[in-house]
Amino acid sequence: MLLWDAVDALPVAAERREGYNRLREFGDWIDADRDGCNTRQEVLLGEAIEVPAQTGRCTLEGGRWYSYYDDQYPTRGIDIDHLVPLAEAWDSGAWQWEHSRRVEYANDLSVPHHLVAVTASFNRQKSDKDVAQWLPPYEPARCPYITEWVSVKARYGLTVDTTEKQTLTHLAAQCPNITLP
């Protein structure tokens, strides 16, 4: 499906923030496969371009990653970003989900672009903002970012608010012939 068509198909609804508490609603990183590494560590291992040393119960040392938001290759100061932030997911319909589905969303490793290793400063700058409020500062990252944003929203049946939809429509026009992953 083309990005433009996928944006058009996203349902529009008002956001709902009341009741949101990150830890209570989405839980923490889990070790789904019980190998000693939690989701955060699994992403770090999976996205490393220089794999960190792993000791004990998945203590990681060293390593190097590519942070596509800012086109950097950090060796430290790495965060794992929920591409569509947990608060944004909550606002966009996750408030209706069972707790177990929210924990699954927060730890879903089945979609490569759902959780991404990025420079901590840019993850914190982004915080829980949607695409109308924040885009990667590295311009070549913007089309992949919005494509992945739309893909996550569509996969999980999340809505967009009016401003988000307008922004995505405008941005999709700048990314012709891109298909959703």
Side-chain angles (χ1 to χ4, degrees):
M1 175 183 283
L2 287 174
L3 174 59
W4 180 266
D5 294 327
V7 169
D8 193 48
L10 290 173
V12 177
E15 291 188 345
R16 175 188 164 159
R17 179 63 58 102
E18 52 276 349
Y20 175 72
N21 175 292
R22 178 187 171 132
L23 194 55
R24 182 184 68 226
E25 301 304 337
F26 288 90
D28 207 349
W29 299 119
I30 62 172
D31 179 6
D33 61 5
R34 300 176 192 253
D35 68 351
C37 297
N38 66 28
T39 305
R40 180 184 190 283
Q41 295 158 328
E42 298 279 6
V43 174
L44 288 171
L45 288 166
E47 292 191 14
I49 56 175
E50 290 176 15
V51 180
Q54 181 179 339
T55 61
R57 297 260 323 144
C58 207
T59 300
L60 305 179
E61 296 176 15
R64 188 169 170 228
W65 294 265
Y66 177 65
S67 174
Y68 89 98
Y69 291 178
D70 54 346
D71 192 35
Q72 297 297 310
Y73 291 87
T75 57
R76 55 187 166 84
I78 306 296
D79 276 354
I80 303 306
D81 182 40
H82 290 88
L83 192 102
V84 173
L86 300 179
E88 173 65 21
W90 175 268
D91 295 350
S92 302
W95 59 271
Q96 300 174 77
W97 299 347
E98 295 289 328
H99 183 263
S100 59
R101 184 167 181 212
R102 289 192 298 267
V103 171
E104 179 184 313
Y105 175 86
N107 289 276
D108 189 357
L109 293 169
S110 69
V111 180
H113 53 268
H114 173 58
L115 298 169
V116 290
V118 296
T119 308
S121 61
F122 283 100
N123 185 42
R124 291 172 190 155
Q125 181 188 83
K126 175 188 169 192
S127 184
D128 62 1
K129 297 175 177 86
D130 71 21
V131 294
Q133 302 160 320
W134 189 89
L135 289 170
Y138 181 56
E139 282 206 36
R142 291 183 180 174
C143 285
Y145 181 81
I146 66 160
T147 302
E148 293 162 356
W149 182 277
V150 171
S151 178
V152 169
K153 286 269 184 153
R155 175 184 173 94
Y156 287 97
L158 297 170
T159 62
V160 293
D161 64 32
T162 304
T163 305
E164 184 182 357
K165 178 85 162 214
Q166 291 169 344
T167 302
L168 286 168
T169 300
H170 172 75
L171 292 168
Q174 298 172 29
C175 305
N177 302 318
I178 291 183
T179 56
L180 261 59

